[in-house]
């Protein structure tokens, strides 16, 4: 069972989780996006990341890890 979060809440959680990853301290998640036609579970994605001074290889790895981990905990509330 996952916990519903608004787009703003989920963006903040994803941003903090990404910045806590090694080499991603300057990266940021500007927004998460809902996936169409998915009502339960991992119904959102991280479409864009600002790199800052982080290396793209560090950020790529971290985004996949963060999305997988947070997708098991949170879902995007419908209508948000």
């Amino acid at each position: 069972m996952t916990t519903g979060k608004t787009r703003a809440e989920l963006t903040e959680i994803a941003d903090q989780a990404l910045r806590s990853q090694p080499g991603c301290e300057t990266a940021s998640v500007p927004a998460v996006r809902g996936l169409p036609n998915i009502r339960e579970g991992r119904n959102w994605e991280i479409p864009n990341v600002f790199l800052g001074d982080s290396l793209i290889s560090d950020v790529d790895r971290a985004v996949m890890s963060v999305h997988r981990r947070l997708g098991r905990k949170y879902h995007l509330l419908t209508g948000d």
Side-chain angles (χ1 to χ4, degrees):
M1 186 75 178
T2 58
T3 304
K5 295 290 182 184
T6 66
R7 189 176 312 274
E9 290 171 325
L10 198 49
T11 297
E12 181 63 28
I13 291 168
D15 187 57
Q16 290 176 4
L18 178 65
R19 288 175 184 252
S20 71
Q21 296 294 306
C24 298
E25 295 82 10
T26 61
S28 65
V29 175
V32 297
R33 176 172 61 196
L35 295 172
N37 304 318
I38 299 177
R39 303 255 183 244
E40 297 179 11
R42 194 180 314 166
N43 65 346
W44 58 277
E45 66 181 350
I46 301 171
N48 298 304
V49 173
F50 296 130
L51 296 176
D53 293 329
S54 302
L55 297 175
I56 195 164
S57 58
D58 289 340
V59 173
D60 280 345
R61 175 194 42 75
V63 166
M64 289 186 295
S65 174
V66 163
H67 187 249
R68 185 173 37 252
R69 188 177 74 237
L70 294 181
R72 291 181 185 133
K73 294 181 179 182
Y74 305 111
H75 66 272
L76 184 62
L77 293 172
T78 56
D80 186 35

